[in-house]
Amino acid sequence: MIRMLTGQIWTGMEYDEFSINGSSKPNDQHNGVCYLGNTWKRQQTGFNGICPYSIDCAASEMFVKWQAEHVERRDELVKVLGIDLNWRMNQVSDGQRKKVQIMIKLLRPFQICIIDEFAADLDILSRSHFFDYLSRECEERGASVVYATHIYDLADTWASHIAFMQLDRVLSPIYKLDELPSYKEVLARSGSSRAMCPMYVLVMEELRRQYRDSNLIVEDYKNGKDDDEGLIDVIMSEQCNERAGNQFDTEREKDQTNWTAGRLTSQLRKAEEEQKRAKRIEARIEAEKNTAGN
């Protein structure tokens, strides 16, 4: 879903209605959409295995035009993330490389930033500053951030709304976090029942509730154990049956090579140009008729 929202999956899509930030053709760094995730390109290519952003150059030498156009934002991000613009990209750690990528991706002001589990490699201070920065962007510019994650530390401190991807792959309604009854109940627990990470407890209990209520589980999950232990066994058994993450993409593309995908893109662009040309000719003919009539 995240990759569709940001144009990473862009061919073979079928939909009744599709609009991201007012556009039916979303893409990273286009129309105010920003994507932070580990999918670096639309198609599988021969460059798999080569770490992106690892060229032998300084951070200041990457996307020079963007940096020049947005110097103030660049300098703020450098301060927020703790970046040295003299870092050589082929010598930095994974965490440092991720900081530079975040800086580059956020140089242009965004309206919606979609993050796919991207802050894990950041140290705890950088992650905290990064989330504070995103909060300011939302408050000061009316932007929005969608963050898909399995890691819940700090999420309690800045998330304003929450939605659950359900077992049937349907997204739940979007709840305002501080008004969600189940979240308020978790926050109210005290003593030995106190939730040290309320968001973690909320999501864990929601997951267990979905599995208990789901028709996907047809066997008796107790198996002679206590409820929770038996339920976890069944959940993990169900996860073993999940198909590979990119299998659907691979099946859809089948024998499409990069050359084929590139040719398809060229054909689509050519067809669009021909349509525009036909419309220009039609408009010119109509204008000449009007002129002759006058």
Side-chain angles (χ1 to χ4, degrees):
M1 183 183 71
I2 293 293
R3 285 184 289 163
M4 286 192 292
L5 294 179
T6 54
Q8 307 300 312
I9 297 176
W10 65 293
T11 59
M13 287 176 53
E14 296 181 3
Y15 52 87
D16 295 322
E17 184 177 353
F18 188 82
S19 176
I20 303 299
N21 204 27
S23 173
S24 61
K25 297 180 179 179
N27 197 7
D28 179 26
Q29 298 297 316
H30 172 71
N31 195 40
V33 176
C34 174
Y35 167 72
L36 291 176
N38 291 319
T39 301
W40 297 88
K41 46 194 172 296
R42 286 174 168 174
Q43 301 287 343
Q44 297 295 317
T45 73
F47 294 100
N48 281 352
I50 297 178
C51 184
Y53 283 68
S54 61
I55 189 173
D56 183 9
C57 72
S60 60
E61 297 169 348
M62 301 192 69
F63 295 84
V64 175
K65 184 178 179 181
W66 285 11
Q67 292 196 43
E69 290 175 349
H70 306 285
V71 174
E72 291 185 5
R73 284 180 66 86
R74 192 272 312 272
D75 291 346
E76 182 180 9
L77 286 163
V78 165
K79 183 177 180 181
V80 166
L81 296 167
I83 294 173
D84 183 344
L85 291 174
N86 294 317
W87 282 344
R88 305 299 297 183
M89 299 310 299
N90 63 325
Q91 298 174 358
V92 296
S93 68
D94 289 343
Q96 291 170 325
R97 184 174 290 111
K98 185 157 288 188
K99 288 181 178 183
V100 174
Q101 187 196 354
I102 291 173
M103 179 193 77
I104 295 297
K105 286 296 190 78
L106 297 184
L107 284 172
R108 290 179 170 180
F110 62 84
Q111 278 303 113
I112 179 167
C113 180
I114 302 179
I115 306 176
D116 189 7
E117 198 73 85
F118 197 67
D121 289 337
L122 298 180
D123 61 86
I124 189 169
L125 285 176
S126 297
R127 193 157 66 245
S128 177
H129 287 177
F130 176 50
F131 287 148
D132 289 344
Y133 173 82
L134 292 177
S135 295
R136 290 198 301 273
E137 288 284 280
C138 293
E139 293 168 2
E140 296 174 4
R141 299 197 302 102
S144 298
V145 176
V146 177
Y147 185 35
T149 184
H150 297 287
I151 301 173
Y152 303 107
D153 58 317
L154 292 178
D156 303 79
T157 63
W158 72 278
S160 60
H161 296 72
I162 187 171
F164 302 98
M165 178 60 76
Q166 300 174 125
L167 297 181
D168 58 1
R169 299 183 181 275
V170 174
L171 197 65
S172 77
I174 299 176
Y175 304 103
K176 193 170 182 181
L177 190 58
D178 60 8
E179 296 178 359
L180 183 61
S182 55
Y183 184 66
K184 291 196 288 187
E185 189 275 325
V186 169
L187 290 177
R189 297 176 189 176
S190 60
S192 60
S193 299
R194 178 187 174 191
M196 302 306 294
C197 183
M199 186 73 79
Y200 169 86
V201 174
L202 174 70
V203 174
M204 180 66 79
E205 293 185 355
E206 169 67 17
L207 180 63
R208 288 173 172 168
R209 182 195 63 76
Q210 285 192 33
Y211 269 101
R212 285 193 179 98
D213 296 344
S214 173
N215 292 326
L216 296 176
I217 298 178
V218 296
E219 59 186 289
D220 179 9
Y221 62 76
K222 295 182 180 179
N223 294 325
K225 306 176 183 179
D226 64 82
D227 274 15
D228 268 357
E229 186 178 354
L231 178 61
I232 295 300
D233 285 346
V234 174
I235 291 174
M236 301 316 295
S237 177
E238 285 290 323
Q239 291 191 4
C240 289
N241 296 325
E242 291 182 359
R243 303 172 74 182
N246 292 320
Q247 184 169 350
F248 300 105
D249 300 341
T250 304
E251 288 181 352
R252 186 184 69 250
E253 293 172 6
K254 293 185 177 177
D255 293 330
Q256 278 194 24
T257 62
N258 298 309
W259 177 79
T260 303
R263 184 182 63 178
L264 176 61
T265 302
S266 178
Q267 290 173 341
L268 292 173
R269 183 171 61 248
K270 185 177 179 181
E272 185 176 355
E273 290 174 353
E274 289 177 351
Q275 289 178 354
K276 290 181 179 178
R277 181 172 178 271
K279 289 181 179 180
R280 288 197 301 270
I281 293 173
E282 184 179 347
R284 188 173 70 247
I285 292 174
E286 188 66 25
E288 289 175 353
K289 287 182 179 179
N290 293 335
T291 302
N294 293 333

